[in-house]
Amino acid sequence: MRLLNSALVTLLTLTTFSLASSSSVLVVLDPSLDRENYSIFFGGLEKRGYNLTFRAPKDTTPAITDYGVPNYEHVILFAPDTKSYAKDITPQSLVSLLSENTNLLIALSPKQTPLTSLAAEFSLIPPPPETPLISHHPARSEPQTTIPVTVSSSSPILTPGIPPVWFTGAPHALGSTPMLVPILRAPAESFAADSTSDADSDALVTASEKGGEGLWAGSQMGLVTGFQTNVNSRVVFAGGVKMFSDEYATKELPSGGSPGNALFVTDVAAWVFQEKLKLRIDAVDHHRVGESEAPKMYTTNDEIVYTAHISAYDTETSTWKPYSGIDDLQLEFTMLDPHIRTSLPPVPGSPGAYQVQFCAPDRHGVFKFVLNWKRKGYSYLESSTTVPVVPPRHDQYPRFLSAAWPYYAGAISTSAGFFLFAALWLAGDVKGERKKGSKVE
Amino acid sequence: MVWQFSWLLLAATVQAASLSLQSPRFTISTPDATQLRSDTLSLTKKPEPLTLGPTDTLKLTFQITESDEGKGVQPHQTFLRFYDKASGEEGIQPVRVTPGGKAKFELNMARPPASIPPTTHNPLEVSLILGSFVHAPAQYDLFDLYLPASHTPAEHPDEASFHVLPAIKHTFRPEQKSPPQFVSAIFAATVLSPWLVLIGLVRFLHQIDPQLTDFVIKVE
């Protein structure tokens, strides 16, 4: 039955328009999770053109890497309760996948697994083991661990207007690193605890008074958090796997209406798999005003024009399109420390081009044009072009200064005087020449 | 500012009993036990914002009961939430409740608990969150609280590069100044002045004895 389903799905993908240009995804699915229960999520991915390959955590094939080369472009780890994996999946191998530009989507759980310690490496602080997130608000018929969470509209990753999503799992606290991208925060009334009855309220208060990390509560906790690495690969840690399931995508909210789970997980998957907010620098060039070629070196006080061309990836056409939407790009002209930092505004009329004109400092040395743009959720843009700046050559200084007129006058008049004297001396007769001179002949 | 009534109605249909807050009182006192301010909290209107100095103490007492006139209960969750709307910082402080539902919370600014969030000159909105496995939950907005400003939390060293950095303009060396051309002209004339002296002397010699100046005349 599953084979027939997957055959049908692959047939459908062959006929539908492929949006993601057939990226390969490996889904490590725990055998305790039923693949049919996640059909909305996986079906949505396949409809967007991803090739999904499924395996269990303990299977040795298909391996995620072969001799260090990743076999898949993206990996989904839906094995939140598994404590032991096959040899190819270790926290170290997952980190090396990220440095090879493979993106990861990882589901965590209240249980302590190797994935929990991997999350800690990304500045996510997990709560004590076996303390799931519970919330008594709003009043509902579902158990306290199944919580509807409002989605804030401030993240650039999510489309605005997503209804509340159902969540079951563990929260985490966010470290201070700016490379973390919070996607979903816990509701203010929720907290992490393993209690099941009112009698445990004293234990809650004592736990918080103990000091250390105290009580895990409030909206400062994260439930789904992303992390963008230095090589622009992305990883998302979700506090629970149930929010991806069909059951939660169709469960009615306590205030009525359908939940936003399907929309939310689609947006999250689109960001992790580099469909959204993916930018790159196509080219940078620099030259003097009035020229078009980059010179081998600049002179101090030159007027320099710097242009950067930036594109964004468009998933609908699977191509890179020029992107002029960055309004806070900055250029630094640096020699050990930035000497000049200006904004690099987009050129109106030229999509994707950002240009600025500035005057080179009057210090000579080896400078760099540094473009370093980092914002939460977007790819990092980094570019560095080294260029020498030399002082003016001996004949580039201003000549014939007015202050030198006395010297010109002196030099010329000395030469003229010498010439005049020599001419008069040679031309003049000596009076009273002796007759002797004529006798000699 | 207003109670959240809608879920209360829903809760009434779900469960018979709901949690409610009785006789909330607050007291602000100084270290030498003089009372600065003391009042009961009205559950329909927020009082004037409370202000605590660096050594003052705020004492809050209340009782949780099952519906308005019921017996006291000890709910699972009795949290005080301190929320700074402007910065988004939040702190959650659990309050110990006796089995009879009586609760007392003390905030001593000389030794504040770790759950108080970083504060600025903006007030903190203080609310009480009640939750239970057997009763319908409740939430009350209590008052606004001004606390002394705290140190800002330490920033990650990379945080600045994720925002717009201040612009840097290079101050160039001032342009080389040259003296006015008029002054240069005067000195050039001074340099050429010996020629005038020479011509004057030659004319003088010519006046004395024309023969002496033959060479000049011959050249001319």
Side-chain angles (χ1 to χ4, degrees), chain A residues 136-137 144 176 188-189 191 195 198 201 208-209 215 218-220 301 330 341 360 362 374-375 402 410 413 417 424, chain B residues 75-77 79 81 88 90 94 96 129-130 132-133 137-138 156 162 165-166 168 170 172-173 184 191 195 219:
Chain A
H136 298 289
H137 298 249
Q144 314 292 40
S176 62
E189 314 92 9
F191 55 102
S195 11
D198 277 5
S201 64
S208 68
E209 282 171 1
L215 181 71
S219 62
Q220 296 288 304
N301 292 310
Q330 282 184 310
R341 190 186 288 136
D362 51 10
K374 295 187 191 149
R375 298 289 179 266
S402 70
S413 85
L424 289 173
Chain B
H76 183 229
Q77 173 191 25
F79 289 171
R81 177 182 184 234
E90 187 192 75
R96 198 178 283 280
I129 304 173
L130 301 172
S132 163
F133 284 101
H156 193 270
F162 277 70
L165 291 166
I168 299 176
H170 181 80
F172 288 85
R173 251 178 254 123
S184 303
V191 164
W195 282 102
V219 167

Side-chain angles (χ1 to χ4, degrees), chain A residues 134-140 144 176-179 188-191 193 195-202 204-206 208-209 215 217-220 254 301 328 330 332 338-342 359-363 372-376 380 398 401-407 409-410 413-414 416-417 420 424 427-429 431, chain B residues 4 7 10-11 14-15 74-79 81 83 88-97 129-139 154-156 158-159 161-174 176 178-185 187-189 191-192 195 198 211 214-216 218-219:
Chain A
I134 63 178
S135 175
H136 298 289
H137 298 249
R140 56 195 186 277
Q144 314 292 40
S176 62
T177 170
M179 296 164 99
E189 314 92 9
S190 59
F191 55 102
S195 11
T196 45
S197 78
D198 277 5
D200 299 324
S201 64
D202 269 344
L204 265 185
V205 185
T206 327
S208 68
E209 282 171 1
L215 181 71
S219 62
Q220 296 288 304
N301 292 310
D328 54 359
Q330 282 184 310
E332 285 173 10
H339 284 239
I340 292 179
R341 190 186 288 136
T342 56
C359 196
D362 51 10
R363 302 227 181 300
N372 187 2
W373 185 79
K374 295 187 191 149
R375 298 289 179 266
K376 276 197 207 268
Y380 305 140
L401 306 170
S402 70
W405 288 348
Y407 303 96
S413 85
T414 307
L420 188 63
L424 289 173
D429 282 336
K431 287 279 159 71
Chain B
Q4 298 169 11
W7 47 259
L10 176 69
V14 172
Q15 278 161 309
Q74 184 191 39
H76 183 229
Q77 173 191 25
T78 315
F79 289 171
R81 177 182 184 234
Y83 179 56
E89 296 277 357
E90 187 192 75
I92 303 274
Q93 173 67 42
V95 177
R96 198 178 283 280
V97 179
I129 304 173
L130 301 172
S132 163
F133 284 101
V134 296
H135 300 107
Q139 196 169 347
E155 228 181 41
H156 193 270
D158 288 339
E159 181 69 43
S161 63
F162 277 70
H163 301 275
V164 174
L165 291 166
I168 299 176
K169 271 179 120 60
H170 181 80
T171 34
F172 288 85
R173 251 178 254 123
Q176 232 186 4
S178 51
Q181 291 188 341
F182 165 67
V183 173
S184 303
F187 279 98
V191 164
L192 292 173
W195 282 102
L198 181 64
Q211 254 191 346
D214 274 350
F215 63 96
V216 177
K218 273 193 189 143
V219 167

